[in-house]
Amino acid sequence: MDKTFGALKPHLDRIMALKAAMTLFEWDNETLAPPKAARLTSNVIGALSGEYFQAVDDEKVRELVKACQEDPGLSEAEKAQVRELSREQEKLACIPRDEYQAFARLTAESARIWQEAKEQDDFAQFAPTLEKVIDYQERFAAYRAKDGQKRYDVMLDDYEPGFTMELLDQFFAVIKQEVVPLLKAVVDSKVQIRDDFLAGDFSDAQQEKIGRFLAEYVGFDFSRGVMATSAHPFTTNLHNRDVRITTHYNDNLDSSLFSVIHETGHAVYELGIRDDLTQTLVGEGASMGMHEAQSRFFENIIGRNKSFWVPIYEKVQAAFPQTLTHIRLDQFVDAVNKVEPGLIRTEADELTYSLHVLIRYELEKELIEGQLKVSELAKAWADKYEAYLGIRPQSDREGVLQDIHWSQGSFGYFPSYALGSAFGAQLYAHMKKEMDVEGLLEEGRIDKIRAYLREHIHQYGKLKDSRKLLKDTTGEDFDPQYYVRYLREKFEELYHL
Ligand code: ZN
């Protein structure tokens, strides 16, 4: 270890320990904690996060970071950790502490106000709070903006470094140009795909059994991870020996099976991070988008691929005998790929999903750059759904109030969902040149696919950003054409276009 870095190391270890403690409390809150624990436990989390900010934003630590930046002897991994810490310090230093705390108090409230407005289906109840949240976010972005940088670009950079509005405008223009007409052709084709058998009264025990089987089959290691249930499935990790996923059980087989595969995709990423990087600031997925690239790759490109089910479909049939015994494999696969324009993003099929994200991207960009007022948002939302998906929400609950993100000030987060799908398609196109992906799946050798991703993506953690990972793996910069080509081929075949 470099000597200068050695002096910083105990501080980094402390920062990581505090982070792990907060993560564990968040996990516990969502899974096992009793309902009445929240208020008192939030005191514990508050104290820990105060310690965390102090540990990061400390004068001595700043000096050590500076010394490391001037020391040419640091290894690549050490340099990357210093870069991450410096980035975190910069973020904190730009924003006056009292404003930051006021914002934290506002967001603690705003999620609840959003929830109530959603329950009562009344956007007007939430609008004044949303205005305040946006106001803070705009101010923070202005503090942090570097020479002429636009506010929305500052926000985007938090989730997907290197993906500016300029690049995203091009990406979403391709989506709009290609996916909107493709969806229209699918709807106009009048091809009917039967999927009634995916809904039913499935027992939790059956779903859990098959969920654990699928997680393990895709690559979840139960000696280094656990699976619990929560209202909304998610993945979290403490280090590469402790990665946790959640699932939910319901009356929709599609949602229950594929959310496990999705979260396992996230988990496989975290489990694959190199031992020398885990438990450091670079020991996690490169970005939101690259994380979604892994989860959506396993969920959709692999999980909704007929070849994936060839070796295991009988087992799934046996788990749900009343429902699936008379359903052939190709019927099952067609059903889980059925396209149906809907109003809710989290229930969207693979084709329409990117349009839900496109709508949010256009709206939040306009909100932050001052071209759209909060008072105009609900109507703008509905207009875009009508234009791109051909359906119009009849309520705020099914429209502008459906996602929690904006209430927490997470502007710039949504694009990563669509970018992730596009990264995944680009990786898939390249992977197919190097191996017979479908053939391997049919032989049950999904481990080969995982090993490929581990070698090219997972092991690096945050050592490289998403653009560099794509470039090094595929030999090309990000290219959205792979995604639209993938969608076109798949859905033109399914809908006989
Ligand atoms: Zn995800």
Side-chain angles (χ1 to χ4, degrees), residues 260-322:
V260 169
I261 302 177
H262 180 98
E263 299 309 326
T264 302
H266 283 303
V268 161
Y269 194 175
E270 297 293 344
L271 288 166
I273 284 168
R274 258 165 36 195
D275 282 345
D276 65 318
L277 300 180
T278 196
Q279 245 177 1
T280 76
L281 285 172
V282 289
E284 59 183 12
S287 68
M288 257 292 299
M290 194 47 81
H291 241 297
E292 283 300 310
Q294 308 311 303
S295 56
R296 298 186 66 77
F297 174 83
F298 280 106
E299 176 195 344
N300 295 320
I301 297 177
I302 298 296
R304 295 180 202 272
N305 189 321
K306 186 175 167 191
S307 306
F308 171 79
W309 295 97
V310 167
I312 57 173
Y313 183 59
E314 273 180 29
K315 194 168 170 111
V316 180
Q317 265 181 321
F320 304 101
Q322 306 92 325

Side-chain angles (χ1 to χ4, degrees), residues 388-446:
Y388 301 156
L389 285 138
I391 45 175
R392 193 175 182 89
Q394 298 305 317
S395 70
D396 292 339
R397 193 186 295 139
E398 288 189 319
V400 66
L401 283 176
Q402 68 183 268
D403 300 305
I404 192 172
H405 304 57
W406 290 343
S407 76
Q408 298 174 319
S410 302
F411 292 89
Y413 189 114
F414 282 120
S416 296
Y417 290 121
L419 278 176
S421 305
F423 295 169
Q426 185 167 343
L427 290 170
Y428 176 54
H430 196 265
M431 191 185 280
K432 283 207 290 190
K433 286 187 208 152
E434 302 204 350
M435 56 171 90
D436 175 15
V437 175
E438 274 67 27
L440 286 168
L441 286 174
E442 281 168 30
E443 288 164 23
R445 297 303 308 271
I446 195 171

Side-chain angles (χ1 to χ4, degrees), residues 15-159:
I15 289 168
M16 290 313 296
L18 289 164
K19 229 178 151 167
M22 289 190 287
T23 304
L24 200 51
F25 271 108
E26 280 162 23
W27 158 271
D28 190 60
N29 257 342
E30 301 288 330
T31 53
L32 274 179
K36 287 194 174 163
R39 196 173 53 83
L40 294 183
T41 302
S42 75
N43 294 335
V44 181
I45 298 173
L48 284 170
S49 82
E51 289 290 313
Y52 172 79
F53 285 122
Q54 246 167 30
V56 171
D57 196 24
D58 176 270
E59 202 43 50
K60 176 98 197 331
V61 175
R62 279 180 191 286
E63 277 165 28
L64 290 167
V65 164
K66 197 152 174 279
C68 283
Q69 284 167 333
E70 286 161 0
D71 181 348
L74 268 68
S75 72
E76 194 195 357
E78 290 166 352
K79 267 190 237 161
Q81 291 175 58
V82 172
R83 182 196 66 214
E84 288 302 316
L85 180 53
S86 158
R87 206 177 265 176
E88 188 83 0
Q89 287 176 328
E90 243 177 71
K91 218 193 271 179
L92 291 180
C94 294
I95 301 169
R97 191 47 67 89
D98 56 331
E99 282 188 43
Y100 196 88
Q101 281 167 348
F103 178 66
R105 281 196 298 273
L106 174 65
T107 47
E109 272 292 273
S110 61
R112 186 185 53 78
I113 297 170
W114 163 77
Q115 184 76 45
E116 280 170 16
K118 188 177 175 181
E119 273 156 26
Q120 292 175 25
D121 190 20
D122 182 10
F123 179 64
Q125 270 186 42
F126 175 56
T129 308
L130 181 60
E131 269 166 11
K132 280 186 217 157
V133 171
I134 292 174
D135 189 53
Y136 271 110
Q137 284 297 305
E138 285 178 348
R139 239 180 308 149
F140 293 170
Y143 292 144
R144 293 172 54 204
K146 291 189 190 109
D147 22 80
Q149 200 184 12
K150 292 222 161 108
R151 290 180 295 203
Y152 190 49
D153 272 332
V154 175
M155 300 177 191
L156 287 169
D157 204 55
D158 281 342
Y159 302 99

Side-chain angles (χ1 to χ4, degrees), residues 182 186 191 193 254 258 296-309 332-339 349-352 425 428 432 438 441 481-497:
L182 178 57
V186 164
V191 170
I193 293 175
D254 187 70
F258 288 92
R296 298 186 66 77
F297 174 83
F298 280 106
E299 176 195 344
N300 295 320
I301 297 177
I302 298 296
R304 295 180 202 272
N305 189 321
K306 186 175 167 191
S307 306
F308 171 79
W309 295 97
F332 173 76
V333 173
D334 283 358
V336 300
N337 283 295
K338 183 176 179 172
V339 174
D349 56 73
E350 191 180 3
L351 180 62
T352 53
Y428 176 54
K432 283 207 290 190
E438 274 67 27
L441 286 174
Q481 290 300 336
Y482 285 105
Y483 181 41
V484 292
R485 214 173 295 148
Y486 161 79
L487 290 174
R488 220 185 293 136
E489 276 170 23
K490 179 168 182 173
F491 291 100
E492 282 178 357
E493 194 193 324
L494 185 62
Y495 283 89
H496 318 296
L497 303 175

